[in-house]
Amino acid sequence: MDACVQPGLLPVHDAIARIIAALEPTTATETVSLFDGLDRVLAENIIAPINVPGADNSAMDGYAVRLQDGGDELTLIGESFAGHAFSGDIRAGQTIRIMTGGLIPAGADTVVMQENVTRRGDSIRINKLPDVGENIRRAGEDIAVQSLVLSKGHLLTAVDIGLLASLGIHQLRVFQRIKIALLTTGDELLAPGDVYQPGKIYDSNRPLLHALLKRLPVDVKDFGIVPDNPEALRKVFLSAREYADLVISTGGVSVGDADYTKEILSELGEVNFWKIAMKPGKPFAFGLLGNSLAEKTRATKCWFCGLPGNPVSTAVTYHQLVVPAVRYLAGENPVEPIVIKAVAAKPLKKQPGRMDFQRGIFSIIDGVNSVSSAGLQSSGVLSGMGKANCYIRLEAGRSSVAAGESVDVILFDRFIR
Ligand code: AMP
Ligand code: MG
């Protein structure tokens, strides 16, 4: 595939690999309440301290019976409700009323659904015999005691929180949040709330990245809009690296602009300016903005990602390059994107040489995975990205796609929505 990349450009996969190879994941941990565990990265393996469920219990409202001894005319001798077990045991010819979650009494081997019995006073007649063992949830069937439930490096979901709660776990060891300094550069930028001025544009990248970063285990400090002037940039980079594990900036990395950003960054650290074989988002800067500084409370390195200024380029390079970088820094185990195949519903324009991340709309039409362009593909047009629900990822060597051809699709995940 690399042979198809325009000479002088870095393939997307190589860019990601270089970033990951350079970064050093955090080792700092903290203990949080289970209630604060969502979207945090586990810093410990979770081994089940108990069986879940803890004991055999009923999956249905019905009657617990001893089916192995036969008989379909039974005498009711008690009840077992969730949280209120029946203390005796069941012999042949006997049954108890049992509700979902009620413990299976000693001697019983099956639960008969209440719909399948006729009850007259204390006598129960089974109309439809189940198989032995039916309608019982076995101890440890969900999670067996001593089994590995979740691994170190796992990003916790809401379902995980429920799962951990079912094990009686109420505190978790997680990695500390990564500290991110966010800034945008450009003399043309207006902050949200500024009065509109002709010739200027509102800074959309900073609010966009601010919102996207809420999906990641990070603390963000906003360093605002920085004018295109070397002194202002130097000053802000110096204070940003005092705070951050990672500085993210947008703008000022394309040819022309890059010259003095480059100069300042090479003075402060070792930042490389790459031309990545991706569209949108060719220019990208990555590297070290300096080592641990006296002012920093934590002796960690400070990394730098400089994203191109066009909002779609910002969003796509953020998603493709910065999200994996932050997740790795934050201690998460690598996760590969899920790529699915779809048929292009309409032709798609493409020049060979770079990997395209076109914004698309995926749907299933008559059982067939289909995708079409979400509209204008210019890197400045954020409205098209707003309508999209996926990337149409086209390999570097590929040229325009005809309707009916198969393409790779990556559905937008929560990190880009
Ligand atoms: P640059 O990467 O600085 O050369 O900017 C490329 C294009 O993106 C220019 O048209 C900029 O005006 C625009 N741009 C840069 N930063 C932002 C921003 N924060 N919000 C919206 N557009 C931007
Ligand atoms: Mg600029």
Side-chain angles (χ1 to χ4, degrees):
M1 193 171 72
D2 294 1
C4 307
V5 162
Q6 199 177 308
L9 302 190
L10 183 64
V12 180
H13 293 105
D14 292 1
I16 296 171
R18 283 193 195 185
I19 292 171
I20 297 298
L23 296 174
E24 293 160 19
T26 182
T27 51
T29 66
E30 63 184 329
T31 299
V32 295
S33 144
L34 180 69
F35 286 92
D36 295 324
L38 182 67
D39 293 341
R40 301 299 300 270
V41 180
L42 270 179
E44 59 181 352
N45 285 334
I46 303 285
I47 307 292
I50 53 169
N51 272 322
V52 178
D56 292 0
N57 68 88
S58 180
M60 292 281 176
D61 292 343
Y63 294 86
V65 300
R66 186 175 171 84
L67 207 63
Q68 60 190 343
D69 294 337
D72 49 13
E73 294 284 351
L74 307 167
T75 306
L76 192 65
I77 59 162
E79 58 190 26
S80 173
F81 292 170
H84 302 276
F86 175 71
S87 53
D89 60 349
I90 301 261
R91 311 241 168 90
Q94 294 181 330
T95 186
I96 61 157
R97 178 87 173 114
I98 194 163
M99 304 305 274
T100 305
L103 294 192
I104 305 295
D109 57 15
T110 308
V111 171
V112 186
M113 284 167 68
Q114 62 189 13
E115 290 81 354
N116 294 338
V117 308
T118 310
R119 176 173 174 180
R120 262 186 215 93
D122 281 349
S123 94
I124 302 291
R125 185 185 168 77
I126 304 175
N127 302 318
K128 187 167 168 244
L129 276 177
D131 292 333
V132 175
E134 228 171 282
N135 302 322
I136 293 179
R137 301 191 289 216
R138 297 288 171 196
E141 163 183 297
D142 183 357
I143 306 162
V145 63
Q146 290 304 313
S147 63
L148 176 66
V149 182
L150 294 169
S151 301
K152 179 177 173 182
H154 177 81
L155 185 68
L156 290 163
T157 65
V159 172
D160 296 330
I161 302 297
L163 193 68
L164 293 169
S166 75
L167 291 163
I169 291 169
H170 67 106
Q171 284 191 321
L172 301 168
R173 196 97 198 129
V174 297
F175 288 111
Q176 285 181 15
R177 287 196 170 93
I178 295 301
K179 294 201 179 312
I180 292 192
L182 181 61
L183 58 111
T184 46
T185 68
D187 286 342
E188 73 280 33
L189 300 180
L190 297 171
D194 282 355
V195 176
Y196 180 71
Q197 298 169 46
K200 299 241 175 177
I201 58 167
Y202 281 108
D203 174 9
S204 39
N205 290 342
R206 208 160 36 93
L208 168 69
L209 291 173
H210 230 283
L212 289 171
L213 284 163
K214 288 201 195 313
R215 306 289 193 201
L216 290 168
V218 298
D219 291 324
V220 179
K221 188 163 174 183
D222 194 340
F223 285 79
I225 298 170
V226 186
D228 289 315
N229 109 39
E231 270 323 304
L233 272 173
R234 181 180 290 108
K235 215 173 135 209
V236 80
F237 282 142
L238 280 172
S239 52
R241 77 170 179 185
E242 275 176 35
Y243 166 78
D245 300 307
L246 172 67
V247 175
I248 301 175
S249 79
T250 79
V253 289
S254 39
V255 187
D257 272 342
D259 298 345
Y260 56 74
T261 343
K262 222 178 207 165
E263 204 182 291
I264 294 162
L265 291 174
S266 67
E267 179 194 308
L268 300 179
E270 287 164 48
V271 176
N272 299 299
F273 283 69
W274 291 339
K275 288 193 174 69
I276 301 181
M278 70 186 286
K279 191 178 174 204
K282 184 164 75 175
F284 188 85
F286 171 76
L288 209 52
L289 197 56
N291 270 299
S292 53
L293 301 169
E295 299 91 323
K296 280 188 78 164
T297 49
R298 290 189 291 164
T300 54
K301 290 176 176 167
C302 179
W303 304 92
F304 177 78
C305 285
L307 281 53
N310 274 309
V312 178
S313 307
T314 291
V316 176
T317 50
Y318 167 82
H319 195 199
Q320 296 304 316
L321 306 170
V322 181
V323 169
V326 173
R327 293 175 73 176
Y328 183 72
L329 267 182
E332 196 185 340
N333 297 327
V335 183
E336 285 294 316
I338 297 170
V339 183
I340 55 179
K341 296 279 179 198
V343 168
K346 291 190 184 136
L348 300 166
K349 274 202 195 124
K350 173 160 190 323
Q351 299 276 334
R354 295 198 263 162
M355 180 178 260
D356 269 21
F357 290 85
Q358 298 196 10
R359 280 70 63 208
I361 299 173
F362 172 86
S363 60
I364 299 174
I365 301 172
D366 297 332
V368 177
N369 287 355
S370 306
V371 72
S372 55
S373 168
L376 285 178
Q377 293 289 330
S378 152
S379 57
V381 181
L382 207 49
S383 60
M385 186 146 190
K387 292 186 194 103
N389 62 9
C390 68
Y391 294 111
I392 308 169
R393 193 182 69 178
L394 302 172
E395 300 80 8
R398 198 151 179 184
S399 39
S400 288
V401 173
E405 279 184 41
S406 172
V407 293
D408 286 349
V409 162
I410 302 174
L411 294 178
F412 282 175
D413 58 18
R414 55 194 301 272
F415 301 108
I416 194 63
R417 306 219 82 165

